[in-house]
Amino acid sequence: MIDSLIACATCASNFRGDGNAAGWSILFMLAVIVAILGGVVFCMVRLVRREGKTLDPELCDDFDAKASTELR
């Protein structure tokens, strides 16, 4: 029963045959998901870095977390 719950066992058993399309389709879907997630992470990191470089210091808030907790 444990083997049926583990996806790795399913993938490993699908690659045993030469012409098994199910195993290759799982590998292809995994590659697509990893590529999309990598692209999203790359874009987010790039946006954060660009924001830090081009941010005008006059537009920054002078927020002090320690001072705001003392006022309560």
Side-chain angles (χ1 to χ4, degrees):
M1 180 166 170
I2 297 293
D3 290 338
S4 64
L5 297 176
I6 300 174
C8 294
T10 304
C11 293
S13 65
N14 281 334
F15 282 110
R16 290 187 184 151
D18 281 339
N20 195 350
W24 291 110
S25 63
I26 291 171
L27 182 65
F28 177 75
M29 287 189 297
L30 182 65
V32 168
I33 290 171
V34 168
I36 290 172
L37 288 177
V40 168
V41 168
F42 173 76
C43 289
M44 294 303 290
V45 168
R46 189 171 175 189
L47 284 172
V48 168
R49 287 183 181 173
R50 282 189 174 188
E51 180 187 12
K53 287 181 182 178
T54 60
L55 187 62
D56 188 7
E58 287 185 9
L59 300 176
C60 291
D61 291 335
D62 293 331
F63 179 73
D64 187 12
K66 186 183 279 188
S68 68
T69 56
E70 291 174 0
L71 294 175
R72 291 182 185 178

